[in-house]
Amino acid sequence: MFVFIGWAVAMVCIFGVYIFHGGNIMVILHALPFEMITIFGAAIGAFLANNQMKVVKGTLAGLGRCFKGSKFSKARYMELLALMYDILQKARKEGLMSIEKDVEDPHSSALFQKYPTVGNDHHVTEFITDYLRMMVSGNLNAHEIESLMDNEIDTHHAEEHAAVAAIQRIAGGLPAFGIVAAVLGVVNTMGSVGQPPAVLGGMIGSALVGTFLGILLAYAFAEPLAGLLEQKVEDAGKELQCIKTTLLASMQGYAPQVAIEFGRKVLFSGDRPTFGELEAHVKGKK
């Protein structure tokens, strides 16, 4: 929603001021289809030539997320930490082997299905169960598991940032593609030097629309989307860091209620539940 509001504000201010100062909007509208095809065609071609298919697919998926609200909220994090508490509490009371079935089949686990918001998130459950499985096996110490977690989080971060970088490269190229469209328009104008001044003026104006559109698309559309997607990537990484911190605290001997407090402190302040909110939520889920 805010993406469209932002674009609407930008368009109203840019074109509204242009019209208010006596600008002829018909010149822009007349040139718009041709300039847009030139600029977008060049941008899409460069995008496909510059990225592997996995990055192309990741970018398209990332653009889709930009138009949806963030799933990372205080309520989601309370669900996640309550799930972690229940798992660690069961392991503490009944031993690590007691959670083996939950780890092997989280979709049939009463613990995971008690918290469907995160229990049905494939990426989150896979991250949790992979490291719980290592804890159950007892073959790795906390430092080794921490190193593995860091490597996985870094890999996830790099994969997600590939889409951000792809959009940023397009944003950087759009002004240049606008210049290409403008130059072609000037070339076309120079081939019509025998026309009346009014006609030549219109042709030059149409050519300059290409430069204008390239800059507008880069800094009002592409660059903001790249920035928004980067923020969403950081939110996803923060959730994994929360899980990591909670599990490592448990491995170091802290009680479940203390371990989830470690995880709570990792979260961004705007999404972080208070100690009282988390405690009430955990007790309410018992």
Side-chain angles (χ1 to χ4, degrees):
M1 177 60 73
F2 284 106
V3 174
F4 294 109
I5 292 175
W7 284 347
V9 170
M11 295 303 100
V12 168
C13 291
I14 292 169
F15 291 104
V17 171
Y18 172 74
I19 295 171
F20 182 77
H21 279 280
N24 185 359
I25 193 65
M26 293 308 299
V27 174
I28 295 177
L29 293 179
H30 176 73
L32 191 63
F34 307 102
E35 302 296 328
M36 288 289 280
I37 291 172
T38 301
I39 295 170
F40 263 115
I44 292 172
F47 172 72
L48 293 174
N50 192 54
N51 296 289
Q52 299 180 61
M53 186 51 62
K54 63 180 180 181
V55 178
V56 172
K57 292 179 179 178
T59 303
L60 295 176
L63 288 174
R65 293 200 301 272
C66 287
F67 299 99
K68 299 177 182 178
S70 175
K71 68 178 182 179
F72 301 103
S73 62
K74 182 182 292 187
R76 179 183 174 90
Y77 286 130
M78 285 196 293
E79 289 277 296
L80 174 63
L81 290 169
L83 168 63
M84 300 298 295
Y85 174 84
D86 281 359
I87 293 172
L88 296 177
Q89 186 74 346
K90 181 178 180 180
R92 188 179 181 88
K93 287 183 177 180
E94 303 174 22
L96 280 172
M97 294 304 297
S98 66
I99 63 171
E100 186 174 14
K101 289 184 178 179
D102 299 296
V103 170
E104 294 302 330
D105 190 9
H107 298 294
S108 301
S109 165
L111 281 178
F112 280 91
Q113 294 311 307
K114 184 179 175 182
Y115 305 96
T117 301
V118 291
N120 292 326
D121 188 313
H122 172 73
H123 190 69
V124 171
T125 55
E126 184 177 48
F127 188 81
I128 294 173
T129 55
D130 280 352
Y131 292 103
L132 285 174
R133 191 176 293 110
M134 293 180 191
M135 290 170 61
V136 170
S137 70
N139 294 327
L140 297 174
N141 60 40
H143 295 295
E144 291 171 326
I145 289 182
E146 181 178 12
S147 178
L148 284 174
M149 286 180 172
D150 286 338
N151 288 334
E152 183 170 353
I153 291 173
D154 287 344
T155 299
H156 173 267
H157 196 264
E159 288 176 341
E160 294 295 318
H161 264 277
V164 176
I167 299 173
Q168 288 175 334
R169 286 192 294 270
I170 290 297
L174 280 170
F177 294 138
I179 293 172
V180 169
V183 169
L184 290 175
V186 171
V187 170
N188 187 40
T189 302
M190 296 304 291
S192 305
V193 290
Q195 297 293 326
V199 175
L200 291 176
M203 295 178 71
I204 293 172
S206 295
L208 292 176
V209 169
T211 303
F212 161 72
L213 282 178
I215 296 171
L216 178 66
L217 292 172
Y219 298 111
F221 289 85
E223 189 65 36
L225 286 178
L228 178 58
L229 182 57
E230 185 172 23
Q231 293 169 24
K232 289 181 177 290
V233 169
E234 294 299 326
D235 282 343
K238 186 58 66 176
E239 183 173 52
L240 299 183
Q241 290 175 358
C242 174
I243 297 169
K244 165 196 161 184
T245 304
T246 303
L247 290 177
L248 289 176
S250 177
M251 290 191 70
Q252 291 167 355
Y254 289 99
Q257 59 267 33
V258 179
I260 63 171
E261 182 64 13
F262 275 58
R264 184 183 74 86
K265 287 295 187 181
V266 170
L267 301 173
F268 290 125
S269 59
D271 301 322
R272 183 194 305 147
T274 65
F275 176 83
E277 287 174 331
L278 180 57
E279 184 179 37
H281 185 75
V282 170
K283 289 181 178 179
K285 284 289 186 177
K286 288 183 179 180

